[in-house]
Amino acid sequence: MTPVLATLAEAWSEVRVHKARVVLSLVGVFLAVFAMTTVTALGLIVAQVQQEQSERMSGRSATIGVTAYDPQTGMPPDAAEWDAAVAGLTERYGITTTASIGYEETRFRMPGGTQLVQTKRVSPSYGQLHRIEPIEGRWLRAGDRDSLAPAVVVNEAFLGALGVPDLAGRPTVVIGGQTPVRAAIVGVVREGYGDELLAYRVDRSAGPWDEPTTATPAASVYGPSTLELWVGADQADEVMAVVSHDLGLALGGAQVDAYRQDSPDLEETLGMLRLAIRGVGVVVLALGGLGVLNIGLVTVRQRIREIGVRRSFGATSSRVFAAIMLESVCATFLAGLAAVALSVVLVRNLPLESLLNSGVPLADVPAFPLAAAVEGLVAATAVGALAGLLPAVIAVRAKVIDAIRF
Amino acid sequence: MTLLALRGISREVGLPDGGVLPILTGVDLDVAAGEHVAIVGRSGSGKSTLLNLLGLLDTPTDGEYLLDGEPTGALRARRRARLRGEVFGFVFQQFNLLPRRTAEENVAAPLLYARGRDYLRRRRTAREMLDRVGLGTRGDTVPEKLSGGEQQRVAIARALVRSPRVVLADEPTGALDVETGAQVMALLASAAAEGGAALVTITHDLNVARLADRRYRLDAGRLAPLADPAPTPVVPAPAPVPLAEVHP
Ligand SMILES: Nc1ncnc2c1ncn2[C@@H]1O[C@H](COP(=O)(O)OP(=O)(O)O)[C@@H](O)[C@H]1O
Ligand SMILES: [Mg+2]
């Protein structure tokens, strides 16, 4: 017990006494660990953001899209029949998250006149599956299907065209058609390019104005709606194979297509990105380690006499070795700790959302990745051990009598 | 039984041209517990080599070195290091204090290699030792700010901090002026005696040798008893004084 304490005490005392040179030699390691930890952390965060963005477009990994229509008429199956078939399917395969999505064009009465706006008719779970985070208001929910007035989620351009700054005044918009109805704008999302207007409505509702599956003057429907199934990536192929078959049977001969919607390559791409970042970090760190080694070599020669004196106190070779080694490890560990701390402070204070996600709040606000912090500390310690190795060997091999000879 | 016994010790070093340089030849020496032995000799006569052999810092090329009657020739490096720390205290001509470490840290340093209680109480022990050499108030001073005489007194405190059985002093007054040297030597002799440690002093100063119980001369690597020195010392040896009063 006490020899361990004593070795630590000795190493610490060395670091303290040689403050200036230690600090100097550590600048490299500090910068390297700082850079590496920050880059790794940002890399992990960027990866997460990219994933979110990609998921917003095509759903989480793995999302399977399913469409069904009558091969003769091209018409979608009857809603009740379809719901029953889907319920049977999800139960059979233990699929917990599904969403439906249909596209239509809706006539909105805007201040400048009636405008056709591309509208997605989605089930409330679509928001979860695509990680939609409204920048204001709320996302659609199941209750919207039964509400007296339709609920609409729009993009910022839509709100702008309406001449409304935000949702504070509970804005409404009239949906034209046979039965014009005043819809409430409940949420705003950041989506769409330029001044393209976009709107979301819940997939179906009880109101008399709602006839999404038939061609009405209010809205024209593009093809059948799509069912999205969220399954584990390893389950995807299996589910795709059975879905067409099972649904086709349940719907009595309807044409059912199933396809993978998310990009399975994404994870691979992100993996490569992380690897590249880590590679650069290792090179930078190695350079920092060389700095520590260099100064360690210079000072161990200056301290040969001191080591000889310690030998006269009864220091064994292993104690001499451990002391020089630990000194290096102690120092780089502290540098690593400081670097990681600074990195945490920096990353936490970066305006990540506006940098990476064009101001859209991130669904999972990225914490500082623990992996990056641990990695930084481990790397710093390892560099200290490696850089301490050679000076420690030199110190052990120094001849005592030559060392203390004046 | 003698504490240290050298039997026909020789030490040679290989030269770059392939030849062999004998430094010590057939040295016999006994040191009993608590006694004070002085070895005088000219520069280059092999005094430091002999002292390094005694302190287990070096190994002889021939002959036998018995410590407590046990041969040391076959000891492993680890055991030699431990024995060195436990049995011996060293005082060097150049003081060899650890630079930039305070006097107290310097005196405590050998206790870093001790175990248990000795290790844990090292600070306190170090302060007590500094008190005993009259430097109780200088514990926080670094060697760079101490005079030569003060540095050597710190070194003496350090050599005695683990209560060694033998103090090996290699020209302890060699870097000091005559008067300071005499005071330091008196302190060393009385401190070793007080601690019950044997003292082997190497010197080329006959006045220093005069304090010893027995005297030897080393000449060209051969050790021989020294004839009694001239009766009149150049500087009178100071009267024995209580340790703390040597340098108030
Ligand atoms: N490792 C060595 N290699 C070559 N010569 C050495 C070595 N060690 C000591 N010597 C030589 O041996 C002689 C005695 O050295 P030393 O014991 O230091 O003498 P002293 O302490 O009496 O002045 C000197 O001439 C010195 O140069
Ligand atoms: Mg010498």
Side-chain angles (χ1 to χ4, degrees), chain B residues 10-242:
Chain B
S10 295
R11 180 73 172 98
E12 300 169 339
V13 293
L15 293 177
D17 62 12
V20 170
L21 173 73
I23 303 176
L24 296 174
T25 316
V27 172
D28 295 310
L29 176 68
D30 287 283
V31 179
E35 94 177 307
H36 183 179
V37 174
I39 296 168
V40 295
R42 277 193 300 274
S43 181
S45 56
K47 304 186 298 294
S48 296
T49 305
L50 178 57
L51 207 73
N52 290 338
L53 283 168
L54 284 173
L56 296 173
L57 287 169
D58 195 5
T59 46
T61 31
D62 200 11
E64 196 169 39
Y65 174 18
L66 305 163
L67 181 65
D68 274 331
E70 300 283 339
T72 59
L75 292 179
R76 290 166 174 273
R78 215 182 167 73
R79 177 90 185 111
R80 287 169 66 86
R82 191 140 295 149
L83 274 176
R84 188 187 307 139
E86 284 167 7
V87 177
F88 299 100
F90 292 83
V91 177
F92 305 96
Q93 177 177 358
Q94 296 299 330
F95 322 136
N96 276 343
L97 296 181
L98 304 177
R100 289 196 277 171
R101 244 71 41 114
T102 64
E104 189 184 303
E105 286 173 317
N106 261 283
V107 177
L111 293 170
L112 284 173
Y113 306 92
R115 286 163 176 266
R117 230 173 107 79
D118 286 350
Y119 164 73
L120 294 171
R121 289 167 51 100
R122 63 194 185 283
R123 290 276 163 166
R124 195 171 152 178
T125 315
R127 278 194 295 273
E128 287 167 9
M129 283 312 301
L130 279 172
D131 252 349
R132 281 176 57 188
V133 298
L135 289 173
T137 57
R138 308 301 301 276
D140 295 332
T141 314
V142 291
E144 291 82 348
K145 295 201 172 137
L146 293 171
S147 72
E150 287 169 331
Q151 287 189 53
Q152 198 59 305
R153 279 150 65 199
V154 173
I156 289 169
R158 187 177 71 177
L160 287 161
V161 77
R162 285 185 75 179
S163 308
R165 294 162 65 198
V166 185
V167 174
L168 301 173
D170 190 350
E171 308 203 33
T173 63
L176 303 173
D177 63 75
V178 175
E179 197 171 337
T180 310
Q183 287 171 340
V184 163
M185 198 52 225
L187 173 70
L188 176 59
S190 57
E194 192 174 293
L199 175 59
V200 179
T201 312
I202 275 174
T203 181
H204 50 237
D205 182 347
L206 288 176
N207 290 317
V208 168
R210 213 179 300 277
L211 292 173
D213 304 326
R214 286 189 293 128
R215 284 164 289 274
Y216 291 87
R217 168 183 294 283
L218 194 58
D219 197 1
R222 294 179 186 277
L223 193 69
L226 182 68
D228 264 350
T232 327
V234 181
V235 173
V241 281

Side-chain angles (χ1 to χ4, degrees), chain A residues 21 290-304 324 387-395:
Chain A
R21 80 148 179 101
L290 281 181
V292 175
L293 173 64
N294 182 33
I295 296 192
L297 284 178
V298 171
T299 45
V300 82
R301 284 184 220 287
Q302 293 168 351
R303 282 161 57 197
I304 288 292
I324 302 277
L389 204 59
L390 201 52
V393 167
I394 291 176

Side-chain angles (χ1 to χ4, degrees), chain A residues 10 14 16 305-306 311, chain B residues 84 96 101 105 113:
Chain A
E10 195 183 325
E14 289 298 312
R16 207 165 43 78
R305 172 189 288 270
E306 186 177 321
R311 288 283 205 171
Chain B
R84 188 187 307 139
N96 276 343
R101 244 71 41 114
E105 286 173 317
Y113 306 92

